[in-house]
Amino acid sequence: QLACPLDLGCHSVTAGRNPKKVVNWLTSELLGRLNAAKLELEQSPVSPEQLGSLVDAIESNLISGKIGKDVLGLMFEGDKRPAEEIVKAMGWAQISDTSELEAICDAVLKENLPQVQLFKGGQNRIMGLFVGQVMKRTQGKANPKAVDQILRQKIQSL
């Protein structure tokens, strides 16, 4: 379990969750914001329950880590809702509908045929260009793992 200063309810955050993810969000993201605001952990505007709901939203692929930072930002500014409610209200849910993602991937590949050939020739770093284009078109809402998988399948069939 997570060692938590002053037992601030952190055990409720890790219960049934990936402890590594919880620790990462606690130490990297939340503590980083607290330090920047010159606040101690016990002064955090984000409750352990909210942090847990944020980790759940990321783990369930409701949102990406990038969107998770935006959700945490709203929580830090005083929004007391759980992550799922914030995501729904803001329209930030990740796009995991494969048919929608496939159509976007098709368009990106069609517009970047020379780069597709470079990728097929072994320049694997170009995949980042394709994924980035899909993420841009979906305003960061696409599930990056799904996008990568779809792109690889489509490139193989070209």
Side-chain angles (χ1 to χ4, degrees):
Q1 289 217 345
L2 177 65
C4 183
L6 304 176
D7 193 25
L8 293 173
C10 294
H11 298 296
S12 66
V13 177
T14 57
R17 295 185 177 97
N18 179 335
K20 186 175 180 181
K21 289 267 189 192
V22 173
V23 169
N24 181 53
W25 278 89
L26 177 65
T27 58
S28 299
E29 301 300 331
L30 183 57
L31 289 180
R33 289 175 190 261
L34 289 169
N35 287 338
K38 298 187 184 335
L39 296 173
E40 297 295 323
L41 184 58
E42 59 269 13
Q43 297 172 302
S44 174
V46 180
S47 72
E49 293 77 17
Q50 282 184 296
L51 184 61
S53 74
L54 178 60
V55 172
D56 289 345
I58 296 165
E59 286 285 291
S60 69
N61 289 320
L62 176 64
I63 56 173
S64 65
K66 178 184 179 297
I67 299 295
K69 291 179 183 184
D70 294 336
V71 173
L72 182 64
L74 289 177
M75 290 174 170
F76 198 83
E77 291 169 10
D79 193 323
K80 298 298 179 197
R81 295 176 292 177
E84 190 172 324
E85 288 181 25
I86 294 172
V87 169
K88 186 176 181 181
M90 301 301 288
W92 287 344
Q94 195 162 242
I95 300 168
S96 294
D97 174 10
T98 54
S99 61
E100 184 178 354
L101 291 177
E102 284 180 7
I104 296 167
C105 289
D106 283 338
V108 165
L109 294 175
K110 186 177 179 181
E111 293 167 12
N112 293 283
L113 289 175
Q115 291 81 0
V116 169
Q117 293 309 313
L118 291 172
F119 179 81
K120 289 177 96 171
Q123 293 188 23
N124 295 333
R125 299 178 107 191
I126 292 178
M127 180 57 73
L129 168 81
F130 303 140
V131 173
Q133 289 292 314
V134 173
M135 296 306 287
K136 183 177 179 183
R137 289 176 188 220
T138 62
Q139 297 160 344
K141 294 183 197 174
N143 179 327
K145 290 179 186 173
V147 168
D148 186 85
Q149 185 179 20
I150 291 167
L151 285 167
R152 288 182 189 279
Q153 289 171 347
K154 292 195 169 290
I155 288 170
Q156 277 184 339
S157 66
L158 291 176

